[in-house]
Structures are given as structure tokens and as C-alpha cells.
Amino acid sequence: KKEKWREMWIYSSLILATLLAFSAPFEDSGLLASVPVAITATLYAVHAFRKKNVWLGFPANGFYLMAYFMILLRYHVDQPQFFTLAAAVLGMLMHYLLVRSGSKKAAFITGMLSQLILLSTTYIQLVSEGIFLYFVILFFQALAVLIYGVISRSRSLVITPIAFLVLSVVTVTFSLLEGFSSLLLIGCAGVLLIAFGIGALLLREKFITLRDKLDDWDA
């Protein structure tokens, strides 16, 4: 009976803390609104450590991120891509630990969320402000994720940064060619697609070899 009551108190406290954390953004108390969110994250982290439950670590990280972004919003930060770096590093560290522990699904989710938080924030800044500096920042961020993905032999951490690099290059190219006519842009895009198709056919065997190698990697 004591164990049942103990479990009930534990989960009741987590539910209550979760409700308080979700209500915190609606409070008009400045930076203090992030305190209950951070406490909730700490509760989840403690229970995850005590129970050795990987999945309880996800709400802990989520609430830590929530508190982190609440603080950024209170300070009216207009360059969020520099501040998402800490969150991404924390996520990559958790990804590494999850890979070492053998939790592949949890590692995949953590890795995807971490790199999406990092790369998508910078890409949104690139699109919204159109400053070339954001492309340079995105390039080095994607390169860092790509290097880590190769070292950790993770397909998602290799494909996603490459996709963001291609997307950012296309975005910058179209912004530079904004003054050209639409017909010329369509023609150039068609020529590039044809060239890409021919190259894919010529390098088909190499792509097959690369695919076989990537099949041995983790997600």
C-alpha cells in the first residue's frame, strides 16, 4: 500500500506541476513566470534519473526549453538564432547519451528536434530579413551538425543539414535573381533539374553504394 500511495503522490505532483507550467506563460509576472516551468522540468529530471526512465527526460527537456524561450521572450530578443545554440547543444548531448544507452528511437527524436530548433530558427531569420550573414551562420551550423552526424553515424543528422543547406542556397539564389523575369528563372530551373537527372543516372552505382553504407547507420 505504501508503494501505491507513493506512486500516486509522485504522479499527482507531476500532473500538478505540469498544469502549473502550462499556465505560467499566461501569468503577468515577468521573468518569475519561468520559475515554475523550470521547477517542473527539474521534477521530471529527478524522477527520470531515479526511475532510470528515458522517456521522462523528454518532458524535462521540453519544460527547460519552454522556460528558456519564455525568458528570451521577456527580454524581447530579436536574434533568437544565437540563443538556440545552447538548446541545440543540450539536445545533441542528450542524443549522444541516448545513443550510448541504446535508445535509438529516443535518440532519433531528440536529434531531429535539436537540429530543427537550431537550423529552422536561422533559416526563418534568413527568409524574413534577407541578410546574407544569416546564410553564413546557417552554413556553419549545418556543417557542425553534419560533422557530428558523420561521427555518430546518424542518417538524420546528415540528411537534414544537407537539406537545409540546399534550401538556403536556393533561397539566396532566388533572392539575388529577384529582378530577372519569371520565364528565365523557370528555364534555368528546368536546365538544372535536367542536369541533376543526368548526373543522378551517371552516378547511380555510387548512389547505390552510398545507400548501402547508410543502411548500416542509425536513424
Side-chain angles (χ1 to χ4, degrees):
K1 288 185 177 180
K2 288 183 178 180
E3 287 296 325
K4 290 183 179 179
W5 277 103
R6 183 182 177 185
E7 291 291 324
M8 188 188 73
W9 282 113
I10 289 174
Y11 287 110
S12 298
S13 64
L14 289 177
I15 292 171
L16 179 60
T18 302
L19 293 175
L20 288 173
F22 281 127
S23 65
F26 302 101
E27 297 178 7
D28 190 15
S29 55
L31 291 176
L32 291 176
S34 61
V35 174
V37 183
I39 293 174
T40 302
T42 305
L43 282 175
Y44 273 101
V46 169
H47 288 303
F49 179 76
R50 291 184 62 184
K51 292 179 175 293
K52 296 181 179 179
N53 189 335
V54 173
W55 297 103
L56 285 176
F58 282 98
N61 283 338
F63 283 120
Y64 275 129
L65 284 176
M66 182 178 174
Y68 181 68
F69 286 117
M70 284 175 64
I71 294 172
L72 294 182
L73 288 173
R74 299 293 179 180
Y75 277 115
H76 302 288
V77 174
D78 57 354
Q79 299 291 337
Q81 73 279 356
F82 296 109
F83 296 92
T84 54
L85 183 62
V89 170
L90 176 63
M92 291 301 174
L93 176 61
M94 187 176 178
H95 174 270
Y96 173 76
L97 295 175
L98 289 171
V99 169
R100 292 291 299 271
S101 65
S103 303
K104 293 184 178 180
K105 289 183 179 179
F108 171 74
I109 295 172
T110 305
M112 285 298 296
L113 288 176
S114 301
Q115 61 182 332
L116 287 176
I117 288 173
L118 178 67
L119 300 176
S120 62
T121 305
T122 309
Y123 179 75
I124 291 171
Q125 288 286 106
L126 172 65
V127 173
S128 61
E129 299 191 19
I131 300 175
F132 187 75
L133 176 63
Y134 294 125
F135 172 76
V136 177
I137 295 171
L138 180 61
F139 174 80
F140 283 106
Q141 287 177 343
L143 185 62
V145 175
L146 182 62
I147 292 172
Y148 173 71
V150 172
I151 294 173
S152 62
R153 297 174 63 86
S154 173
R155 292 193 299 269
S156 61
L157 293 175
V158 171
I159 296 173
T160 305
I162 292 175
F164 267 97
L165 281 175
V166 173
L167 185 62
S168 61
V169 168
V170 172
T171 302
V172 171
T173 303
F174 273 95
S175 65
L176 292 175
L177 298 176
E178 194 173 0
F180 289 85
S181 64
S182 301
L183 185 61
L184 180 62
L185 291 177
I186 293 172
C188 291
V191 171
L192 288 175
L193 288 174
I194 293 172
F196 178 77
I198 294 172
L201 287 174
L202 294 175
L203 300 174
R204 182 176 57 184
E205 293 184 0
K206 292 186 177 181
F207 281 130
I208 293 173
T209 304
L210 179 62
R211 185 190 64 186
D212 293 337
K213 290 182 179 179
L214 289 176
D215 285 339
D216 297 331
W217 289 23
D218 296 326

Coordinates of all heavy atoms in Angstrom, one line a residue, residues 7 34 44 58 63 84-85 87-88 92-93 98 105 113 118 161-162 177 187 191 198 202:
E7 N 3.5 6.0 -5.4 CA 3.4 6.2 -6.8 C 2.3 7.3 -7.1 O 2.5 8.1 -8.0 CB 3.1 4.9 -7.5 CG 4.2 3.9 -7.5 CD 5.3 4.3 -8.4 OE1 5.1 4.9 -9.5 OE2 6.5 4.1 -8.1
S34 N 8.8 32.1 -15.5 CA 9.6 30.9 -15.9 C 10.0 30.0 -14.8 O 10.5 28.9 -15.1 CB 10.8 31.4 -16.7 OG 11.6 32.2 -15.9
Y44 N 10.7 16.4 -13.3 CA 10.7 15.3 -14.3 C 12.2 14.8 -14.4 O 12.3 13.5 -14.5 CB 10.3 15.9 -15.7 CG 8.8 15.8 -15.9 CD1 8.0 16.9 -15.7 CD2 8.2 14.6 -16.2 CE1 6.6 16.9 -15.9 CE2 6.8 14.6 -16.4 CZ 6.0 15.7 -16.2 OH 4.7 15.6 -16.4
F58 N 12.2 13.5 -21.7 CA 11.7 14.4 -22.8 C 10.9 15.5 -22.2 O 11.1 16.7 -22.6 CB 10.9 13.5 -23.8 CG 11.7 12.8 -24.7 CD1 12.0 11.4 -24.5 CD2 12.3 13.4 -25.8 CE1 12.8 10.7 -25.3 CE2 13.1 12.7 -26.7 CZ 13.4 11.3 -26.4
F63 N 10.3 21.2 -20.9 CA 10.0 22.3 -20.0 C 11.2 23.2 -19.8 O 11.0 24.4 -19.6 CB 9.5 21.7 -18.6 CG 8.1 21.3 -18.7 CD1 7.7 19.9 -18.4 CD2 7.0 22.1 -19.0 CE1 6.4 19.5 -18.5 CE2 5.7 21.7 -19.1 CZ 5.4 20.4 -18.8
T84 N 19.4 29.9 -29.6 CA 19.0 28.5 -29.8 C 20.2 27.5 -29.8 O 20.0 26.3 -29.7 CB 18.2 28.3 -31.1 OG1 19.0 28.8 -32.2 CG2 16.9 29.0 -31.0
L85 N 21.4 28.1 -29.9 CA 22.6 27.3 -29.9 C 22.8 26.5 -28.7 O 23.1 25.3 -28.7 CB 23.8 28.2 -30.1 CG 25.2 27.5 -30.3 CD1 25.2 26.6 -31.5 CD2 26.3 28.5 -30.4
A87 N 20.4 25.5 -26.6 CA 19.4 24.4 -26.6 C 19.7 23.3 -27.5 O 19.5 22.1 -27.2 CB 18.0 25.0 -27.0
A88 N 20.3 23.6 -28.7 CA 20.7 22.6 -29.6 C 21.9 21.8 -29.1 O 21.9 20.5 -29.2 CB 21.1 23.2 -31.0
M92 N 21.9 17.8 -28.5 CA 22.9 16.9 -29.1 C 23.6 16.1 -28.0 O 23.9 14.9 -28.2 CB 23.9 17.7 -29.9 CG 23.4 18.4 -31.1 SD 22.7 17.1 -32.3 CE 22.0 18.2 -33.5
L93 N 23.8 16.7 -26.9 CA 24.4 16.0 -25.8 C 23.5 14.8 -25.3 O 24.0 13.7 -25.1 CB 24.7 16.9 -24.6 CG 25.3 16.3 -23.3 CD1 26.6 15.6 -23.6 CD2 25.4 17.3 -22.2
L98 N 21.8 9.1 -25.3 CA 20.8 8.1 -25.7 C 21.3 7.1 -26.6 O 20.9 5.9 -26.5 CB 19.5 8.9 -26.3 CG 18.7 9.7 -25.3 CD1 17.7 10.5 -26.1 CD2 18.0 8.8 -24.3
K105 N 15.2 5.1 -30.8 CA 14.0 5.9 -31.1 C 14.1 7.3 -30.4 O 13.8 8.3 -31.0 CB 12.7 5.2 -30.8 CG 12.4 4.0 -31.7 CD 11.1 3.4 -31.3 CE 10.8 2.2 -32.2 NZ 9.5 1.6 -31.9
L113 N 14.7 17.0 -33.2 CA 14.2 18.3 -32.6 C 15.3 19.3 -32.4 O 15.2 20.5 -32.6 CB 13.6 17.9 -31.2 CG 12.2 17.2 -31.3 CD1 11.7 16.9 -29.8 CD2 11.2 18.1 -31.9
L118 N 17.6 24.5 -34.1 CA 18.8 25.3 -34.4 C 18.7 25.8 -35.9 O 18.8 27.0 -36.1 CB 20.1 24.4 -34.3 CG 21.4 25.1 -34.7 CD1 21.7 26.2 -33.7 CD2 22.5 24.0 -34.7
P161 N 20.8 18.5 -42.2 CA 21.6 19.7 -42.5 C 21.9 19.9 -44.0 O 21.9 21.1 -44.4 CB 22.9 19.4 -41.7 CG 22.9 18.0 -41.4 CD 21.5 17.6 -41.3
I162 N 22.1 18.8 -44.7 CA 22.3 19.0 -46.2 C 21.0 19.6 -46.8 O 21.1 20.5 -47.7 CB 22.6 17.6 -46.8 CG1 24.0 17.2 -46.3 CG2 22.6 17.7 -48.3 CD1 24.4 15.8 -46.8
L177 N 18.2 36.7 -57.7 CA 17.7 36.7 -59.1 C 16.3 37.3 -59.1 O 15.5 37.0 -60.1 CB 17.7 35.3 -59.7 CG 19.1 34.6 -59.9 CD1 18.9 33.2 -60.4 CD2 20.0 35.5 -60.8
G187 N 13.2 28.6 -66.8 CA 14.1 28.0 -67.8 C 15.4 27.5 -67.1 O 15.9 26.4 -67.3
V191 N 16.7 23.6 -66.6 CA 18.1 23.1 -67.0 C 18.8 22.5 -65.9 O 19.4 21.4 -66.0 CB 18.9 24.3 -67.6 CG1 20.4 23.9 -67.8 CG2 18.3 24.8 -68.9
I198 N 20.6 13.9 -65.2 CA 21.6 13.2 -65.9 C 22.7 12.8 -65.0 O 23.3 11.7 -65.1 CB 22.2 14.1 -67.0 CG1 21.1 14.4 -68.1 CG2 23.4 13.5 -67.7 CD1 21.5 15.4 -69.1
L202 N 24.2 9.0 -64.2 CA 25.6 8.6 -64.3 C 26.2 8.1 -63.0 O 27.1 7.2 -63.1 CB 26.4 9.9 -64.8 CG 26.0 10.4 -66.3 CD1 26.8 11.6 -66.6 CD2 26.4 9.3 -67.3

